[in-house]
Amino acid sequence: MTSLNDVPQPVRLGTWPTPLEPMPRLAHSLGLGAEDLWVKRDDLVGLGGGGNKARKLEWLCGAAVAEGATHLVTTGAPQSNHARLTAAAGARLGLETVLVLAGTPDATPQGNLTLDALFGATCVWAGAGGGPALATAAEDVAARLRADGARPALLPFGGSSALGALGYGACGHELLTQAPDLDTVVVAMGSGGTMAGLVHALGPQRVLGVHCGAVTDPVDVVAALVSDLSGAPLPPDSLRLRLDQVGEGYGTLTEPVMAALNRTARTEGIVLDPVYTGRAMAGLIAAVADGDIAPGRRTVFLHTGGLPGLFGHTGALAATAADLTTRSRTL
Ligand SMILES: *Cc1c(COP(=O)(O)O)cnc(C)c1O
């Protein structure tokens, strides 16, 4: 994108503003004060199972509609929340959705794939071979649709272009009206657009990203998106990005992630997911332990959604099943 001065209006897909709620029992369990820790509920956006991709899709779909698109085409992992919300947005807007997914079809689709099917999306399985292969496959799908007379709009991986990230610039301003004394917002970093939009709105010092292992060069990805948004280069070393929660790689279940899921569920009745928000919370807990997040200041955890992914994650399902066995009795 060369200029963001003249972008089409976003379409409305969610219910705004999302709530900002205190998490006093979780705060207490971490040694923070009851007023120190809040959660921004972007899991409750109202569209298709919720999550952060809805804000990006408002802008991306605004451009697609303005171009007269007939189809939305995007890429992702099989349990992609972005793919699921693209399918929901397509349904809402009366557009066909084609999801180009990594790997091969699951024997028993679960989690996000179940919802992709409910929203009526078509899935094209691209086989093994990482990001570039997936992008090429999506180009091929779009070219074939064009040859058939359709007008496909190709949406970026994770919805993370500067245009999509505008949705999180708006979220940053929304957050400031709810919490003017915000010290730090903690956010999962996947494809980078969410963190980049927040940094654009709030400055690099108030945003703590937690890398989830979805890209190989997280700092450069976020810095490039922020530069695209602002039109000026951002020094990459000004970003606050924790790299310590990736474990064995994207999507793998780590002990701190499972502990964060349990702790948040058992203190606040709030469900996190094992791929993104659980990592972000594990990063927040680590940041409290090493003093990067301190008592007496307002920290906001951005809940970016992902609940359906819990039901598509073999490791998390096995861990919860084992836990359930230990606490089950018969009368
Ligand atoms: C995609 C996603 C993220 C990461 O957002 P990016 O903008 O891709 O960095 C975080 N949480 C959930 C649940 C997501 O689906």
Side-chain angles (χ1 to χ4, degrees):
M1 161 149 325
T2 49
S3 167
L4 287 170
N5 295 331
D6 197 22
V7 298
Q9 282 302 301
V11 292
R12 191 174 173 113
L13 297 171
T15 307
W16 319 114
T18 55
L20 181 70
E21 298 171 342
M23 294 203 284
R25 285 175 41 79
L26 178 58
H28 180 73
S29 87
L30 297 174
L32 299 174
E35 291 287 310
D36 293 347
L37 186 59
W38 295 67
V39 56
K40 174 75 170 155
R41 299 297 303 267
D42 271 16
D43 54 325
L44 304 180
V45 299
L47 178 74
N52 63 332
K53 303 312 181 309
R55 287 192 196 261
K56 304 183 193 183
L57 284 163
E58 290 199 335
W59 290 89
L60 298 167
C61 292
V65 168
E67 288 161 9
T70 57
H71 290 63
L72 302 176
V73 179
T74 199
T75 55
Q79 286 298 325
S80 167
N81 298 301
H82 167 66
R84 181 244 310 162
L85 280 172
T86 300
R92 182 79 74 86
L93 297 169
L95 306 173
E96 298 287 328
T97 302
V98 183
L99 305 175
V100 181
L101 303 176
T104 50
D106 292 11
T108 313
Q110 286 174 323
N112 280 301
L113 280 170
T114 303
L115 299 180
D116 297 344
L118 272 180
F119 296 131
T122 302
C123 295
V124 176
W125 293 92
L134 210 52
T136 307
E139 298 278 359
D140 289 350
V141 166
R144 258 180 273 158
L145 286 167
R146 263 183 235 111
D148 291 344
R151 296 175 63 98
L154 196 50
L155 309 190
F157 176 71
S160 284
S161 57
L163 180 63
L166 284 178
Y168 271 90
C171 177
H173 294 295
E174 184 179 301
L175 191 51
L176 277 185
T177 65
Q178 294 172 314
D181 59 346
L182 171 76
D183 184 82
T184 297
V185 53
V186 180
V187 58
M189 189 273 165
S191 60
T194 303
M195 181 175 179
L198 291 172
V199 169
H200 182 56
L202 302 171
Q205 280 314 306
R206 283 193 284 191
V207 184
L208 176 61
V210 181
H211 177 39
C212 297
V215 296
T216 49
D217 45 0
V219 175
D220 292 346
V221 165
V222 176
L225 283 166
V226 176
S227 300
D228 281 356
L229 282 167
S230 66
L234 178 88
D237 60 6
S238 66
L239 291 169
R240 294 171 69 192
L241 193 55
R242 292 190 79 100
L243 307 176
D244 59 348
Q245 298 301 327
V246 176
E248 311 251 304
Y250 175 75
T252 56
L253 189 66
T254 68
E255 192 275 320
V257 168
M258 200 60 228
L261 256 65
N262 283 331
R263 192 199 280 248
T264 309
R266 291 167 194 188
T267 53
E268 298 293 346
I270 289 176
V271 183
L272 305 178
D273 80 285
V275 179
Y276 295 104
T277 51
R279 278 192 162 67
M281 186 58 82
L284 185 152
I285 293 168
V288 172
D290 68 23
D292 192 29
I293 288 177
R297 301 192 195 144
R298 192 188 298 254
T299 296
V300 172
F301 178 80
L302 178 64
H303 195 326
T304 45
L307 172 62
L310 178 63
F311 299 103
H313 192 289
T314 317
L317 293 176
T320 50
D323 189 29
L324 188 62
T325 303
T326 67
R327 63 183 71 238
S328 295
R329 329 239 176 294
T330 46
L331 201 56

